[in-house]
Amino acid sequence: MRISTLALAVALATAPAAAFAAEGTAAGIAGGAATGAVLGGPVGAVAGGVAGGVIGTLASPPERVRSYVVQEQRPSVVYEGDVVVGKPVPQTVEVYRVPDSDYSYTVINQKRYIVDSDRKVVQVVD
């Protein structure tokens, strides 16, 4: 019973990888630990925290990508819908390549978003 609870906690902690990607390692650890604690108590919290931290680290763009996006000056477009990590930006929104990387970015409603090659939002840049 304990093993299945722990396995469930780890599985649930690793499921929302896109959400962890938005905030990186710290949010991954916190989110994984919280999910694990609810499902598996202290052992689940540890397992979930480790899994979430690994996912958050692996899924985050490099700091140089974030720095490039912050420095670039591009016009912001107005969009009425929600822009959510893990979901693609609309095809009507222009994205700009980040040199020497697999990432692009866009500016929507005065916020900068880093997107992957499928136009999925991987990080919000404040």
Side-chain angles (χ1 to χ4, degrees), residues 9 13 20 26-53:
F20 294 149
I29 292 170
T35 302
V38 168
L39 297 172
V43 173
V46 171
V50 169

Side-chain angles (χ1 to χ4, degrees), residues 6-113:
L6 179 59
L8 178 61
V10 171
L12 288 174
T14 59
F20 294 149
E23 301 299 327
T25 306
I29 292 170
T35 302
V38 168
L39 297 172
V43 173
V46 171
V50 169
V54 168
I55 290 168
T57 299
L58 294 177
S60 294
E63 179 58 32
R64 67 178 181 74
V65 169
R66 186 181 183 290
S67 295
Y68 179 86
V69 170
V70 168
Q71 292 173 4
E72 288 296 297
Q73 298 299 313
R74 298 290 182 158
S76 179
V77 297
V78 176
Y79 178 67
E80 294 297 322
D82 292 328
V83 182
V84 181
V85 171
K87 301 289 182 182
V89 296
Q91 291 293 325
T92 57
V93 173
E94 188 169 359
V95 296
Y96 309 98
R97 293 281 304 150
V98 175
D100 301 321
S101 82
D102 295 329
Y103 295 97
S104 297
Y105 73 99
T106 189
V107 184
I108 302 172
N109 299 333
Q110 304 299 320
K111 282 191 172 181
R112 296 169 188 270
Y113 297 90

